[in-house]
Amino acid sequence: MNADFPAVPPTADVSPAGTGLVTAEAVALDLRPARLGSRAIALGIDILMLGMVSGMVSLVAGVVLAVLPDSLVDDALVGAVMTMVIVVVLLAFPTFVETKTNGRSVGKMAMGLRVIREDGGPIRVRHAFTRALIGLTVEWPGLLLPFLTWAGSLITMIASDKGRRLGDLAAGTLVVHERRPVPFRFVPGMPAALAGWAATADLSAVDDELAAQVRQYLSRAPELSEPYNSSLLRMLAHELGTRVTPPPPPNTPPWLFLCAVLAERRRRSAAQLAAGRLVTERVLPGFGRSGRSPFPGVPVRPASPAR
């Protein structure tokens, strides 16, 4: 192989958008902050849940007031009970739920969101309580200057690069997506010039771990910067060169060598799987099939007789 001819696809300077969080162990967290849209839907679900909780708590409070003597029930007691209902529903309940679920309310569970600390750790009671307290007094329902505080909270969330609301700023938290879309990563196929050599090469020493490293490199090579890209390419090519016999043709670029070994290994695995299925079908016709058509009214084709 000619190390002077890397034949590596051009690299791209990829900087995925994330929270920019770094843990105490200097590990960067690749997390996607939740924005206004997903958080608004989660809030709507949480409001429905709080409405049901409010109905149940109000029912209990009404029963308690009904059984008390009339001499004890006055406007002051009714006002105190209503205040307790508000505190339980809008402060105690959200604090309890987010603490017990590690930052996931019902709405956040439905939307795949989670509240975390600024350092990436799980939230505690004080974080959940601060978020709920700011939400009760300023944000939603915003008992302090409603409408005005709602507008301020909305502007704060839109202006924040991480989508943080006032409660997040006060508690030192942020909301992130738990589920991330998995991007499609292309893995090159067999180079035509190396197909003949690869078909006769001995790949028995190439284990699954090394093959997985090669596959991961080939799929992520365009995202790697220099000199790490070339260094990793040479290291993998050298490792494969010590395990594959005979060696590839002279002046074979390392990139094409990796592609050929991975593609040939994949082809042999597919052929081995197909051969195993053929033997199983001959020995046990119909094994592993339910015998029922997935489409009603369409007959199932019988298995071919063994030959």
Side-chain angles (χ1 to χ4, degrees):
M1 293 178 294
N2 184 8
D4 297 331
F5 182 31
V8 182
T11 59
D13 187 11
V14 178
S15 56
T19 59
L21 296 180
V22 179
T23 65
E25 294 78 15
V27 177
L29 300 180
D30 185 15
L31 300 174
R32 187 161 57 103
R35 300 298 179 179
L36 181 60
S38 57
R39 296 190 64 173
I41 298 175
L43 176 61
I45 298 174
D46 287 335
I47 290 175
L48 294 177
M49 176 59 62
L50 291 177
M52 292 187 290
V53 175
S54 177
M56 292 186 293
V57 175
S58 299
L59 179 61
V60 173
V63 172
V64 172
L65 291 176
V67 299
L68 290 177
D70 294 339
S71 59
L72 296 179
V73 179
D74 54 9
D75 293 341
L77 180 60
V78 173
V81 171
M82 294 303 299
T83 301
M84 292 178 59
V85 170
I86 294 175
V87 171
V88 169
V89 174
L90 299 179
L91 186 59
F93 179 75
T95 301
F96 175 80
V97 171
E98 287 196 351
T99 302
K100 288 299 182 180
T101 60
N102 290 327
R104 294 183 300 170
S105 62
V106 176
K108 291 183 178 62
M109 289 182 188
M111 297 302 298
L113 308 179
R114 180 190 292 271
V115 184
I116 62 174
R117 300 198 309 260
E118 286 182 307
D119 60 358
I123 64 172
R124 306 299 182 189
V125 177
R126 65 180 182 274
H127 303 100
F129 178 79
T130 302
R131 284 170 47 83
L133 181 61
I134 297 298
L136 171 64
T137 57
V138 178
E139 296 175 319
W140 182 264
L143 300 181
L144 177 64
L145 299 178
F147 298 106
L148 179 61
T149 55
W150 293 354
S153 301
L154 183 62
I155 294 174
T156 301
M157 184 179 297
I158 295 176
S160 174
D161 58 342
K162 299 177 183 178
R164 302 173 69 187
R165 64 178 179 86
L166 293 177
D168 293 319
L169 296 175
T173 60
L174 69 154
V175 181
V176 297
H177 288 271
E178 287 189 300
R179 300 185 289 264
R180 290 185 59 89
V182 180
F184 171 77
R185 300 190 182 278
F186 173 75
V187 177
M190 172 66 72
L194 298 180
W197 164 81
T200 60
D202 181 11
L203 308 180
S204 58
V206 181
D207 54 15
D208 294 339
E209 181 179 359
L210 180 57
Q213 294 175 359
V214 173
R215 184 182 302 107
Q216 184 177 15
Y217 167 76
L218 293 178
S219 65
R220 298 181 60 92
E223 303 176 6
L224 302 178
S225 59
E226 295 294 348
Y228 307 106
N229 194 339
S230 299
S231 176
L232 185 58
L233 173 62
R234 288 191 296 267
M235 181 185 67
L236 291 175
H238 174 74
E239 183 67 21
L240 277 180
T242 61
R243 302 191 187 191
V244 176
T245 54
N251 298 323
T252 297
W255 170 265
L256 297 184
F257 174 50
L258 265 62
C259 294
V261 171
L262 188 62
E264 178 62 22
R265 196 173 185 273
R266 183 168 59 246
R267 185 192 68 81
R268 295 182 186 182
S269 298
Q272 184 179 7
L273 179 60
R277 289 178 177 176
L278 181 60
V279 172
T280 302
E281 179 66 23
R282 289 181 176 179
V283 176
L284 299 172
F287 178 78
R289 294 183 297 183
S290 63
R292 294 178 298 177
S293 173
F295 304 100
V298 179
V300 179
R301 182 179 179 182
S304 301
R307 298 179 181 178

